[in-house]
């Protein structure tokens, strides 16, 4: 139309469009809609999130983008993604993992529960422990036992712990993630 100078943007179905071009098809069925940038972005993300081969890390990054897009409103982000708020929280927890841990998770060298347990530790400790998990084939139970030795309960701290509530090294953020049995009392993982 004159309003768009005859230019359109492919928001969803880009791979199908490229395949049609490669096959030399001159006409393909499509829907043309006027969209705001935000709605176009949501549509683009929604199509990619529907793919069955999407990794947990990709889901975590999408969760982060949507929470940011909705100014920290987890409920609205979850609604727009068609997820529960718990799933949003679960995926965001993974973003606290080091790049090495995320790569190992993507490569199926560790489980998501391993990654969640590691997420509360410093990057150096995550990476060092990751090597042991892989080389020594640690189970989640073994990791939980070893991780417990590197943590202290916050209720026994000899300092004001009010700032610990939002600290990523506070293991309370891991409660009920992925239905694992992580200790429900807040602990510091950055001694």
């Amino acid at each position: 139309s004159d309003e768009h100078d005859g230019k359109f943007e492919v928001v969803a179905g880009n791979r199908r469009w490229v395949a049609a071009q490669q096959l030399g098809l001159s006409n393909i069925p499509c829907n043309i809609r006027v969209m705001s940038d935000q709605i176009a972005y949501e549509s683009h993300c929604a199509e990619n999130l529907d793919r069955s081969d999407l990794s947990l890390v990709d889901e975590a990054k999408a969760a982060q983008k949507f929470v940011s897009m909705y100014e920290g409103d987890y409920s609205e982000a979850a609604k727009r993604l068609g997820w529960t708020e718990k799933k949003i929280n679960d995926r965001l927890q993974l973003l606290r993992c080091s790049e090495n841990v995320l790569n190992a998770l993507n490569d199926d060298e560790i489980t998501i529960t391993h990654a969640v347990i590691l997420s509360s530790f410093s990057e150096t400790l995550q990476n060092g422990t990751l090597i042991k998990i892989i080389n020594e084939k640690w189970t989640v139970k073994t990791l939980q036992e070893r991780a417990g030795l590197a943590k202290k309960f916050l209720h026994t701290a000899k300092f004001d712990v009010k700032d610990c509530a939002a600290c990523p090294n506070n293991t309370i953020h891991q409660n009920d993630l992925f239905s694992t049995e992580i200790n429900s009392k807040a602990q510091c993982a950055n001694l």
Side-chain angles (χ1 to χ4, degrees):
S1 72
D2 293 336
E3 184 180 327
H4 302 289
D5 298 325
K7 295 180 182 178
F8 299 93
E9 181 179 357
V10 177
V11 173
N14 190 62
R15 285 176 293 189
R16 290 183 296 271
W17 180 59
V18 169
Q21 287 178 319
Q22 290 172 346
L23 291 170
L25 300 176
S26 57
N27 292 313
I28 57 172
C30 66
N31 292 318
I32 298 173
R33 297 185 183 141
V34 176
M35 298 179 168
S36 67
D37 287 343
Q38 184 167 333
I39 298 298
Y41 180 74
E42 283 182 25
S43 297
H44 173 74
C45 286
E47 174 169 332
N48 287 332
L49 288 171
D50 283 341
R51 291 176 25 221
S52 60
D53 64 340
L54 198 65
S55 73
L56 291 167
V57 176
D58 290 333
E59 286 186 2
K61 290 176 181 173
Q64 183 181 42
K65 285 179 185 175
F66 269 73
V67 167
S68 175
M69 192 183 321
Y70 289 99
E71 299 174 359
D73 186 339
Y74 283 41
S75 177
E76 186 62 24
K79 185 168 72 173
R80 293 293 186 168
L81 283 165
W83 293 357
T84 63
E85 284 186 55
K86 181 181 183 316
K87 185 172 179 178
I88 290 273
N89 287 327
D90 291 351
R91 297 312 182 257
L92 290 176
Q93 183 71 27
L94 291 178
L95 295 176
R96 294 181 176 170
C97 293
S98 72
E99 197 65 34
N100 291 347
V101 170
L102 292 177
N103 288 337
L105 178 60
N106 260 347
D107 295 340
D108 292 325
E109 294 178 295
I110 61 171
T111 68
I112 193 168
T113 310
H114 284 107
V116 170
I117 294 168
L118 290 172
S119 70
S120 63
F121 292 103
S122 70
E123 182 174 349
T124 302
L125 190 52
Q126 285 184 45
N127 292 337
T129 306
L130 175 65
I131 292 167
K132 290 182 180 183
I133 292 169
I134 293 169
N135 291 343
E136 299 175 20
K137 299 185 183 353
W138 284 8
T139 64
V140 168
K141 185 175 181 180
T142 300
L143 176 58
Q144 286 174 324
E145 289 168 359
R146 303 278 175 104
L149 299 174
K151 299 174 188 173
K152 295 288 180 197
F153 287 103
L154 285 173
H155 74 273
T156 65
K158 295 182 168 101
F159 55 87
D160 185 359
V161 296
K162 80 175 168 159
D163 290 338
C164 298
C167 178
N169 298 305
N170 182 346
T171 62
I172 201 72
H173 299 299
Q174 297 173 346
N175 278 357
D176 299 322
L177 292 178
F178 314 107
S179 301
T180 62
E181 294 179 14
I182 297 173
N183 196 317
S184 63
K185 290 186 179 179
Q187 294 178 297
C188 177
N190 187 18
L191 301 179

